[in-house]
Amino acid sequence: MLDQFLWVIFPYLCVAIFIVGHIWRYRIDQFGWTAKSSEFIEKKQLMVGSILFHFAVIPVFIGHIVGLFIPAHWMSAIGVNEHIYHLGAVYVGGFFGVVMFIGMFLLTFRRINNKSVRKLSSVSDMVVNFLLLFITFIGIYATLVTNNIVTDFDYRQSISVWVRGLVTFSPDASLMTDVPLTFQIHVLSAFLIFALWPATRLVHAWSLPFNYVGRSYIVYRRHKQ
C-alpha cells in the first residue's frame, strides 16, 4: 500500500494539483502572478545567485528530460554508448548541478540573512527556497556519491522506465522499490515542489515577456532647466 501511494497516487496527485492549481491561481490572482522581486533592497547577492541558478537550471532540466524520457537503446542507436552517457550525466550534469546549488544557496542565504528581505518574505517563499536547495543538494549527492557507491544501479532501467509509465498511465511501483534512498527522496521532493508550485512565486516562470519583442520604443529626453 505504501509503495502504491508513493509511486502511483502521490505523483498523480502532485501533477493534478500542479495543473488545477495554476488554472485556479490565474483566474483569481493575476495580480499576484509575480516573482515579487526584492532587488530594491539588496542587489549584489541577488544578481550573482540568480545568474548562477538560472544559468544552470536549463541544462539541468534538459539533462533530466533526456535521462528520463529517452530510452537507453535510443541513445545507443545514435552513437551515445553507456560510457559516453555516464561521463555526460555525472561530470557535465554534476557541474551544472553544483552551479545551481551555489546559486540557490546564495539566494537562500540572502533571504534569511538580510533582515529587510527576510521581513518581506512569506512562509511560502522560505519553503520554496529551502525545498529547492534540498532538491538540488540531494540530486548532486545521488549523482556524484550514490552512483559511485551503488555501482550496479542504473536509473535508466528503473526510474526512467517508471516515469515513462506514469506518462502512459501504466506506472509500475515495483520499479522504484529497490532504487537507492537518495534517488527516491530526490524524486519525491521534486514532485512535491510541483504540487507547491501554483501557490508560490514559482508561477512567474511562465510569465515570458513576449510583448517586449513588438512593443514600441520608449523615448527619453533630457529635461532642460
Side-chain angles (χ1 to χ4, degrees):
M1 289 295 293
L2 179 60
D3 289 338
Q4 287 295 316
F5 174 77
L6 291 177
W7 310 117
V8 179
I9 298 174
F10 181 72
Y12 282 131
L13 181 62
C14 290
V15 172
I17 294 173
F18 178 83
I19 296 173
V20 176
H22 274 87
I23 297 173
W24 171 80
R25 176 79 182 270
Y26 185 78
R27 288 177 63 88
I28 72 164
D29 187 32
Q30 291 190 32
F31 287 107
W33 195 287
T34 172
K36 297 186 294 184
S37 176
S38 55
E39 183 178 353
F40 67 94
I41 296 176
E42 192 283 328
K43 187 173 182 177
K44 185 176 181 181
Q45 288 184 356
L46 175 63
M47 181 181 68
V48 175
S50 182
I51 288 175
L52 291 176
F53 177 80
H54 289 92
F55 164 75
V57 71
I58 296 178
V60 168
F61 173 76
I62 294 174
H64 279 71
I65 294 297
V66 172
L68 295 175
F69 292 99
I70 300 181
H73 64 274
W74 288 16
M75 299 297 290
S76 298
I78 61 175
V80 181
N81 59 37
E82 184 66 27
H83 178 67
I84 295 176
Y85 179 87
H86 181 75
L87 290 177
V90 173
Y91 294 104
V92 178
F95 168 76
F96 284 110
V98 170
V99 173
M100 182 176 170
F101 177 78
I102 294 173
M104 199 65 237
F105 177 82
L106 290 174
L107 293 174
T108 305
F109 178 79
R110 170 182 178 271
R111 188 168 295 282
I112 62 177
N113 185 63
N114 188 297
K115 185 177 180 180
S116 298
V117 176
R118 187 171 66 249
K119 284 185 175 181
L120 289 177
S121 300
S122 64
V123 174
S124 67
D125 294 335
M126 292 293 188
V127 170
V128 164
N129 271 67
F130 280 103
L131 185 55
L132 283 175
L133 187 66
F134 174 76
I135 292 172
T136 309
F137 169 77
I138 199 68
I140 295 171
Y141 186 89
T143 300
L144 301 181
V145 179
T146 304
N147 270 328
N148 290 317
I149 296 176
V150 189
T151 56
D152 59 340
F153 170 70
D154 184 359
Y155 73 88
R156 292 198 292 174
Q157 303 302 323
S158 53
I159 301 176
S160 298
V161 179
W162 168 74
V163 168
R164 293 197 293 271
L166 286 175
V167 174
T168 57
F169 299 102
S170 56
D172 183 359
S174 64
L175 290 168
M176 294 296 294
T177 56
D178 294 326
V179 169
L181 182 61
T182 52
F183 281 95
Q184 291 182 337
I185 294 173
H186 182 62
V187 170
L188 292 174
S189 55
F191 273 104
L192 179 60
I193 199 71
F194 276 106
L196 296 176
W197 197 307
T200 68
R201 66 169 61 213
L202 289 175
V203 293
H204 83 277
W206 316 119
S207 300
L208 300 177
F210 291 121
N211 60 316
Y212 283 8
V213 178
R215 73 174 184 174
S216 301
Y217 289 106
I218 299 176
V219 179
Y220 291 93
R221 292 185 175 90
R222 185 186 298 276
H223 178 68
K224 297 181 178 180
Q225 295 182 349

